[in-house]
Amino acid sequence: MLVWPGFADKIASGGSFVDIIHMPTRRTIRVAEVLRKELAACMSQSLDLEGMLITIASVELPPDMRQAYIYVSTLHPELDQEKALAILLRNRKEWQSRIGRRLGLKFTPQLIFRFDNAIERGDRVMEILTKLELEKEKHPQEDQPE
């Protein structure tokens, strides 16, 4: 367990509350990966998601493993994210139950679905970089010393 720098004196002197930084442990990383695989299997068998091509971008677990934040993405920009999330939420309880039986954990994490917009952000960054490069080619810097 790591603590913020500079709080060591407060801990030694019985100081007040100290913020603690939670790093992912090997166990949470392993459980997140198993959750991702099991959930992908559940999603591939779901008739509700037929033709939607929703992929699991990542799974994040807090240290207590009570919730699992499932970040999903799709290759279809025209897909209504609200509709897709509603379908995922509708199937969540069944999937949690199935995964809980397979994992054998004391508590099955509550699945919380969120759309991951990393692909769109990456496309936007690439678009900006391309525009900057084109501007640079169109207008060579005139203030360079000769």
Side-chain angles (χ1 to χ4, degrees):
M1 193 164 26
L2 298 172
V3 295
W4 289 98
F7 283 101
D9 296 331
K10 279 191 176 185
I11 293 171
S13 64
S16 61
F17 176 75
V18 177
D19 283 337
I20 298 174
I21 301 171
H22 294 286
M23 301 289 290
T25 63
R26 278 190 229 153
R27 182 169 189 248
T28 57
I29 293 170
R30 281 194 328 258
V31 170
E33 184 60 25
V34 171
L35 265 174
R36 187 189 65 75
K37 288 178 182 175
E38 292 294 327
L39 189 56
C42 291
M43 288 172 66
S44 69
Q45 295 170 358
S46 175
L47 296 177
D48 291 347
L49 298 174
E50 188 88 19
M52 288 189 153
L53 290 176
I54 295 176
T55 60
I56 300 171
S58 66
V59 175
E60 293 181 5
L61 282 171
D64 66 359
M65 294 195 297
R66 296 288 182 151
Q67 301 89 19
Y69 298 96
I70 316 297
Y71 292 92
V72 295
S73 62
T74 182
L75 298 176
H76 293 289
E78 67 275 359
L79 177 68
D80 183 16
Q81 291 184 0
E82 294 299 319
K83 180 182 173 189
L85 284 176
I87 293 170
L88 293 171
L89 289 175
R90 187 172 57 227
N91 290 295
R92 179 183 71 179
K93 296 280 186 188
E94 177 190 340
W95 294 339
Q96 278 179 209
S97 174
R98 191 180 308 173
I99 291 170
R101 286 190 302 271
R102 301 251 331 186
L103 289 180
L105 293 173
K106 187 174 183 178
F107 299 103
T108 303
Q110 177 187 7
L111 304 177
I112 301 170
F113 293 97
R114 296 181 176 164
F115 255 88
D116 183 21
N117 297 320
I119 293 173
E120 288 121 20
R121 286 193 310 267
D123 288 345
R124 178 74 180 131
V125 169
M126 289 304 295
E127 181 182 316
I128 291 169
L129 290 174
T130 303
K131 283 181 183 178
L132 289 173
E133 190 63 33
L134 288 174
E135 286 294 319
K136 188 176 178 182
E137 289 174 4
K138 282 183 184 178
H139 306 289
Q141 294 180 350
E142 292 121 12
D143 59 347
Q144 289 182 350
E146 295 180 16

